[in-house]
Amino acid sequence: MVRATLLKAKSSMPSLNGDRLGHNGSIKTRMVMRIWIIRVAALTCSLLKRIKEMSLQPKGSKLTNHATMGWPKGGNSYGHGASIVPATISTSPYGTDNTVRRGRLAVKTGLNLRYYSTGCTNNVVSRLNCLTERCRNYPDSTIDRPLHKLVSDPLLLEIAYRNIKSKPGNMTPGITPETLDGISSEFLNQLGKSLRDESFQFKPGRRVQIPKASGGTCPLTVAPPRDKIVQETMRMILNAIYEPTFHDSSHGFRPGRSCHTALRDIFLKFKPTTWMIEGDISKCFDSIDHHKLMRLIENKILDRQFTNLIWKSLRAGYFEFRYYKHDIVGTPQGSIISPILCNIFMHQLDLYVESLAREFNKGTRA
């Protein structure tokens, strides 16, 4: 026969009555257990929070701010073996404050930290940011950088595609049935190659007449959607160059500005005004002279390959009623780069009117 014996619980804090826990011993045991439970719960919460942050953080964010001084090693080499370049931290209109910028500019700042560079889009964005800062600090200087190399970068083309892909108007075909469907990395690489060897040509647009509320019609040119990818890259570069040089009195076709910001400035700055002059430019887009516009751009941008690409877009022409036409003046309405080209041209009018205002203002009273 087997005899089973029930073991008695032994405590490190026995009472004076024997093996049972006393009142004081049970309270101390509960307090110790409660402290350990609180510590384990706090540690578990911190670990779960950290894991959640790591799952939400993209590559290249704050988790990658730990620099390395060598090449990637191990099975996960973090990229395709591209060179490791320095990084700087600066404020940029293309990202949040204190964003990591990858590029050669960190060499000038004296920073010795180097980050992984896998050919990501941050390199392209940092070049645009640097271009914007250069034009903001030196608005009257010319641009001698290789912009044609930047516009043909497949990474910038991918950014341009992502900017326009969600707009429903870009699914409207031009003279060809092609739309933005079926865009792949191979297409963007081939497009960048054709831009580099200057074999790329803009296709003519399809012009339609849109009725206006005040009467008459307004011509609208529907460009081929795939040509709009190149136009968007050109717009991003031109915007980085000219946006810092435009005056605060200009509100048309500018990021973050509209008729509402213009009305706000009038409300805040024109209170002592007794009379105003209102004007309207008839057919502004259709009246811009190509040669005068190109002279303005070439005086600012020295890269002739890039300016020739702008000239190609102006001379692409359009089809209307199955007949091919092209104008010697005007930028086509519906083109992505037409608003920035119009602002470049009309900036001269802003300078002239502001010079008239300085000459007219006399004294301190209205």
Side-chain angles (χ1 to χ4, degrees), residues 130-147:
C130 181
L131 187 61
T132 303
E133 293 176 4
R134 158 80 181 278
C135 296
R136 182 182 293 111
N137 297 330
Y138 308 99
D140 298 330
S141 63
T142 58
I143 304 300
D144 56 353
R145 301 189 179 185
L147 302 179

Side-chain angles (χ1 to χ4, degrees), residues 76-96:
N76 189 0
S77 58
Y78 293 94
H80 50 64
S83 300
I84 300 177
V85 293
T88 58
I89 298 178
S90 66
T91 303
S92 163
Y94 297 93
T96 58

